Amino acid sequence: MTTALRIEKGDDGVVLATMDLPGHSMNVLNEALAQPLAGLADLLEQDASVTGLILASGKRDFLAGADVDRLRALANAQEAFDASMQLKGFIRRLERCGKPVVAVINGMCLGGGLEIAMGCHWRIVIDDGKAKLGLPEVKLGLLPGGGGTQRLPRLVGMQQALQWMGEGSEVRAPQALASGLVNELAASRDEALAKARAWIAANKKPVQPWDAPKFRYPGGDSRSPATAQLFSIAPSMASAKSYGNYPALTHIMSSVFEGGLTDIDRALEIESRYFAACVTSQASKNMIGTLWYQLNAIKKGASRPAGVLQSKVKKLGILGAGMMGSGIAYVSAKAGMQVLLLDSTQEAAEKGKRYAQELLDKAVKKGRSTAEQREALLALIQPTTDYQDLAGCDLVIEAVFEDRAIKADVTRKAEAVIGSGAVFASNTSTLPITGLAQASVRPAQFLGLHFFSPVDKMPLVEIIVGKETSPETLARGFDYVQQIAKTPIVVNDSRGFYTSRVFATYVMEGIALLKEGVHPRSIEVAGLQAGMPMPPLALQDEVSLSLGVHVADQTRKDLAAEGKPYHEHPGEAVLRQLCELGRVGKKVGKGFYDWADGDKQLWPGLAQLHPVAAQQPAQRELIDRLMFAQANEAARCLQEGVLRSVADANIGSIFGWGFAPFQGGALQFINAYGLPAFVARARALAAAHGERFAPAQILVEMAERGERFAEQ
């Protein structure tokens, strides 16, 4: 039929259809594959010699899901509804053809791939540790539009289905089997195909559970008492987490609930209407543009210097075995590198290695790793105090205290040992790389690699290019970040770079609001309503107030040395005030909050230090101040050349400090707001609250020209 779908018919009449999309590393539901797949229904219905069908993949993964280009091209709700119903029509024909259809699943089986698999009568997963099944559409502001919100609850129950779809979870093979999502596991492809043929031979006239007259949902349908309780709680829980910023969450719940009141065919139509609502939402447009197109462009090397050969780090040196250094050691060893973890004492270095031990112990306990894998990884991390051990390192990363003198000292000691071709990187979060590189005898091979805490969980690394950093050095840093499975953004050197600089505007604006007499609870709720993962005062406690004061002091000192003025943020005085009281943050159990036993309460003393004003601003005003402070500063970073691309700005803001993902990033927030409207609102905020809100000149000029930031 086509090279995208190989058809082989056996003597037993069973057709093996192997998806193998040419020119793609993964199978996706684009036109080249969707058309021949639809032809399978014709084959089953019209060819009497065909006794059954096995759907498999010729690639390392089964089927990744829908082609996002096709989704983005949908012009309106009617087109989205029709496209959704077209896919469902094919799947329903498979289900009702009267002949057995088996899916042999390997690797990733996501989105539309899982929806097609659920439309098969039997599902066998090759359990080689690589299989992952899921419906991740919510991560792009969508819901599963190929029947996922209806078949998944009918297979695993409503509660489990809502959790998996609401979180975009990826389910491993054993869990998929235990839940009822799949029917069998096999150790190899050959075994899976043999099992598939055996099942087909034994089940000549299969019927999907939901097409059987006496079908019942596992755990009950929408009318049962158990699910009535679920749906009385789930919407409020989702709202408490999302504040209504993610319409896909509500639409998923509505689709599941309403579908559970009727038969499968009517339920599929209900789902298509909610799918259309998601596709046309601004949140989905924002998220697809940034978290699909821009993220994939970065992963494919859009920010990497062209023409430089790919490289791999085999031996890594890390200076400083604190929280950051130990986290870097863990993710690097996990990627197969030999790691030298160096600190001033052997005890400190050993403690850094224990961080990896603790993470691995948890993984073994949860069945995500084995004792053998744990020991093999730990063997790659060598704690040491001897700089001579750094000999042979391809890359050295310093992760010591944010002090120029300390960083200069370790730089000189390391460079005295490492080879002439090695790269040296600083994990500084604020200090300009060009200045730190002055301690290096080879500044062309010096760059910044700014990790985020906790390193094992945070997906971003900000690569900072100093004045003398060479393209080759940048490329090697980029390759290392991808080697450890992180997302790299590339920025030019500047005080605070991009992420630390813009992140600070969020927490400092929250502190400024407190100083003005805004109720602290209103400030915190505004941060959450805006879509930030943590409210500003709690977040400042997490990173520590004393660090904020240290950065301000260092900045003031540096600017004075450069003969430049220092503009104090109105929130800075509050930081100093609390630090003088010993309230320096979560690490000592007291800051803006009192922290105890994993819980926190706003410190009652805030009311005495900064009495709540009788007249409180509208919540919308608070949200705007928190969001405009960040977005405007991001635009300034692009204007000043700190940022190299719109994609780096948007991805860096979401992955770096959690800028409201549904907005699609700091610059996409401006796009969606509309540049003329953003400029007007920023000017109004500046008139009321200070020049820091004055719109960046780049925004004024773009608004006048009717331009927008690139969205793809």
Side-chain angles (χ1 to χ4, degrees), residues 19 60 175 197 223 349 358 555 662:
M19 299 177 289
R60 66 176 180 229
Q175 189 180 8
R197 292 183 185 280
R223 297 180 179 86
E358 290 165 4
T555 303
F662 76 96

Side-chain angles (χ1 to χ4, degrees), residues 241-252:
K241 288 185 177 181
S242 70
Y243 287 87
N245 291 323
Y246 296 88
L249 283 173
T250 304
H251 292 331
I252 287 170

Side-chain angles (χ1 to χ4, degrees), residues 318-355:
I318 300 172
L319 312 181
M323 181 62 75
M324 295 302 290
S326 56
I328 298 168
Y330 169 73
V331 297
S332 300
K334 192 176 179 183
M337 298 172 208
Q338 182 184 351
V339 178
L340 275 299
L341 185 56
L342 186 148
D343 212 307
S344 56
T345 68
Q346 190 66 25
E347 182 184 2
E350 295 283 357
K351 182 180 178 183
K353 182 174 180 176
R354 280 200 297 276
Y355 178 79

Side-chain angles (χ1 to χ4, degrees), residues 363-377:
V364 172
K365 189 175 181 180
K366 293 180 179 179
R368 295 175 183 166
S369 185
T370 65
E372 293 75 20
Q373 290 170 329
R374 175 187 61 199
E375 296 311 312
L377 193 153

Side-chain angles (χ1 to χ4, degrees), residues 572-620:
E572 187 180 321
V574 180
L575 283 181
R576 295 185 184 279
Q577 184 183 40
L578 266 71
C579 284
E580 288 169 4
L581 295 172
R583 303 192 67 86
V584 298
K586 183 181 179 181
K587 62 184 179 182
V588 299
K590 53 185 181 178
F592 292 104
Y593 285 79
D594 286 322
W595 299 78
D597 301 323
D599 198 10
K600 66 182 189 297
Q601 298 289 333
L602 278 163
W603 179 44
L606 287 176
Q608 282 74 51
L609 288 179
H610 301 284
V612 175
Q615 187 79 23
Q616 290 288 302
Q619 204 69 3
R620 183 73 255 170

Side-chain angles (χ1 to χ4, degrees), residues 239-263:
S239 179
K241 288 185 177 181
S242 70
Y243 287 87
N245 291 323
Y246 296 88
L249 283 173
T250 304
H251 292 331
I252 287 170
M253 287 186 285
S254 297
S255 185
V256 171
F257 177 77
E258 293 175 31
L261 295 171
T262 186
D263 64 87

